[in-house]
Each structure stands twice: as structure tokens, then as C-alpha cells.
Amino acid sequence: MTVEDARIIDLPKFLDARGNLSFVENFKQIPFEIKRTYWIYDVPGGESRGGHAYRDNEEFIIALSGAFDVVVDDGKQKKTFTLNRSYYGLYVPKGLWREMENFSTNAFALEFGSSPYDEKDYVRDYPQFLKLKADEKI
Ligand code: TYD
């Protein structure tokens, strides 16, 4: 996987005077089956988190409110995606280093994963990530 495999996916948007509505479904807007949902909130403004790669987990990240950047890195190239609307999200395939940066004070990040939480799926050490990538093991 390379940073070119990470992509913004636009979501359906029902604009309505009563309030807008968007949604996601497995294998439709989200290109995998959701096995896990988690969210990140109350992040101090300007904070960063999520510096790691997954060996197998794919994810889809939406900024439900506020804004933050997701930086994806394949060991050769980095690409930064700014998420700041609830009607699109970022698909991050497995095997990429990713960090979430520049959280606004009111940011609410919703994340869907293709696998249940498993600490063994994480690579949290950047030099180890680079080695795994160079050896084509991730
Ligand atoms: P972590 O993945 O380290 O957060 P970040 O991606 O921002 O670095 O998760 C923080 C803690 O939450 C960690 O101890 C594991 C726990 N956790 C779960 O138990 N289940 C989950 O689905 C996630 C994402 C984290």
C-alpha cells in the first residue's frame, strides 16, 4: 500500500431545513465491513495522536465536528488530508503509518475499523514500520 491508496470518500448528503443527514453502509460508502467503531473527543486544541500503523486493519475516519489533519506515510511519501466536514471521510488502507494532528478544540473524530481491537495488529515504532515496509512485510 502507498499513500496513493488513501482517499477521500464523499458521503450521501440529505440537505434539509430541519438539519442535514449523511450515512455510511458496509461495502458501499465504506469499502470494507465495519467490525469496530470508536471516537476521539475532548482533544486539547493543537494536539496530535494516533502515530501508528496497522498490519491488517483498514479504517475510515470522519470529522463529525471541528477539524484535524490525518497524515499518511508509506515510508517513502507522506500525504496530509484535512478533515473538517461530516459529509466526507478518509479511507486509510492497512499498512500505512498514520498520525492525526492539529485538532481543533471542538474536534470529534469518528473512526470505523475493519477488525476488532487487537494490540498485535499495531506497529507503534516508526523505525520498525520502515523496516517492515522495506522488507515488504506490511
Ligand atoms: P490508541 O490506539 O493508542 O490511540 P491512538 O490511535 O490515538 O494512539 O488507543 C488508546 C488506548 O485505547 C489504548 O490503550 C488501547 C485502547 N483502545 C481500545 O481498547 N480499543 C480500541 O478500539 C482502540 C482504538 C483503542
Side-chain angles (χ1 to χ4, degrees):
M1 290 298 164
T2 75
V3 294
E4 302 305 330
D5 297 304
R7 63 180 189 276
I8 294 289
I9 296 176
D10 290 318
L11 302 177
K13 191 166 51 162
F14 286 83
L15 300 181
D16 191 309
R18 299 169 302 156
N20 302 334
L21 181 151
S22 292
F23 61 86
V24 294
E25 290 183 77
N26 290 333
F27 299 124
K28 289 185 180 169
Q29 299 78 22
I30 295 195
F32 55 79
E33 183 177 4
I34 299 166
K35 294 278 177 59
R36 177 164 55 121
T37 304
Y38 65 97
W39 46 98
I40 294 173
Y41 52 98
D42 291 348
V43 182
E47 192 57 78
S48 300
R49 59 178 300 158
H52 57 68
Y54 295 111
R55 294 169 193 272
D56 281 312
N57 185 55
E58 301 165 68
E59 58 183 346
F60 186 74
I61 307 173
I62 305 175
L64 277 191
S65 71
F68 50 86
D69 295 332
V70 183
V71 184
V72 294
D73 175 347
D74 58 23
K76 292 190 174 132
Q77 267 194 86
K78 289 186 187 191
K79 209 165 165 182
T80 300
F81 295 90
T82 297
L83 302 185
N84 57 12
R85 291 287 184 272
S86 57
Y87 51 77
Y88 66 83
L90 177 67
Y91 169 67
V92 184
K94 64 184 176 181
L96 295 183
W97 189 266
R98 58 76 149 171
E99 283 188 54
M100 298 168 72
E101 299 181 346
N102 296 324
F103 279 88
S104 66
T105 43
N106 57 341
F108 178 18
L110 181 64
E111 313 207 14
F112 301 102
S114 65
S115 51
Y117 176 72
D118 176 7
E119 187 56 37
K120 293 193 293 299
D121 192 47
Y122 282 70
V123 181
R124 294 186 183 274
D125 180 64
Y126 189 67
Q128 184 198 1
F129 167 74
L130 292 179
K131 172 112 182 42
L132 288 167
K133 213 67 185 157
D135 296 344
E136 295 181 3
K137 288 189 175 153
I138 189 171

